[in-house]
Amino acid sequence: MNGKLWFLVIAGFFFLLANNAYSNNLSLLVEQRGLGDAGTAGLVSTIGQLGGLLAGLCVGLLVRFVRNHLLMVGFLAEGIALLLLGFAANLPLLIIGSFLAGAGLSLYYAQAPFLVTMIEKPYLIPMGIAAMTTANALGGFASPVTVNLINGLFGSSAAGAMFIGAVIALAGAVALGVIDFQRKCLETGR
């Protein structure tokens, strides 16, 4: 596995670390903010799935505008979503944040496996996909421990977990943009 693949694997770990701050704390956020009950949390979560579906359907269109940065856009959407959720004091903002979180997740999963096929030798693609999948799973597994450990230093609220996830996702977006990662991966594949 080459350096670009290792970077993508590490980015995947951090993406899922951030994203699971959303999925692990959404219901708690709804309850702590007094925005509804379990039905409300379920509805808001479903809106996130809708955001993912629509983003997935629009990937082809989005590539026309941000071809070299779609992975970064996924991280950016996730970071903005988590910021909105952290600040959400009403149901419409909660819905918008959830929609964007689903969209960010969908964009990540549309691009990461594709980039593996662009940067790795054909016979190593299955190993690259396996490494990426493992990192994603480890990021998701580590999220509650890591995010809650950091969150505990600041009072341990669901909004705090969202803000921590936002910092992780936005830092990932900045890193991907500064090094122009996706463009370099696409050039490797040509």
Side-chain angles (χ1 to χ4, degrees):
M1 294 191 336
N2 62 45
K4 288 180 184 148
L5 183 60
W6 280 111
F7 184 87
L8 184 60
V9 164
I10 292 166
F13 173 86
F14 282 106
F15 185 88
L16 269 292
L17 193 70
N19 177 264
N20 277 20
Y22 158 73
S23 57
N24 292 338
N25 290 283
L26 181 62
S27 295
L28 185 58
L29 182 69
V30 169
E31 189 274 325
Q32 286 179 349
R33 292 280 167 89
L35 297 173
D37 56 12
T40 305
L43 173 66
V44 172
S45 180
T46 300
I47 298 295
Q49 299 299 316
L50 179 63
L53 174 68
L54 292 177
L57 291 172
C58 294
V59 165
L61 178 64
L62 291 171
V63 165
R64 294 180 188 163
F65 299 104
V66 289
R67 173 181 172 79
N68 294 325
H69 303 288
L70 201 51
L71 185 65
M72 181 188 74
V73 170
F75 272 80
L76 190 60
E78 193 71 30
I80 291 169
L82 291 166
L83 277 177
L84 289 174
L85 289 163
F87 286 117
N90 57 50
L91 196 54
L93 197 54
L94 201 65
I95 288 170
I96 293 167
S98 186
F99 184 91
L100 287 174
L105 182 66
S106 182
L107 292 174
Y108 168 77
Y109 275 118
Q111 288 303 289
F114 166 70
L115 290 175
V116 170
T117 68
M118 297 300 290
I119 60 179
E120 198 52 89
K121 295 178 177 99
Y123 68 92
L124 291 174
I125 289 172
M127 177 72 78
I129 296 289
M132 186 194 67
T133 303
T134 301
N136 292 346
L138 290 173
F141 176 78
S143 182
V145 175
T146 306
V147 170
N148 289 337
L149 180 68
I150 297 166
N151 196 16
L153 300 173
F154 302 101
S156 193
S157 68
M162 299 296 180
F163 291 133
I164 293 164
V167 168
I168 294 167
L170 293 172
V174 168
L176 290 166
V178 166
I179 67 169
D180 206 11
F181 181 73
Q182 188 158 348
R183 183 188 58 76
K184 290 176 181 174
C185 290
L186 294 173
E187 286 175 356
T188 299
R190 290 188 183 131

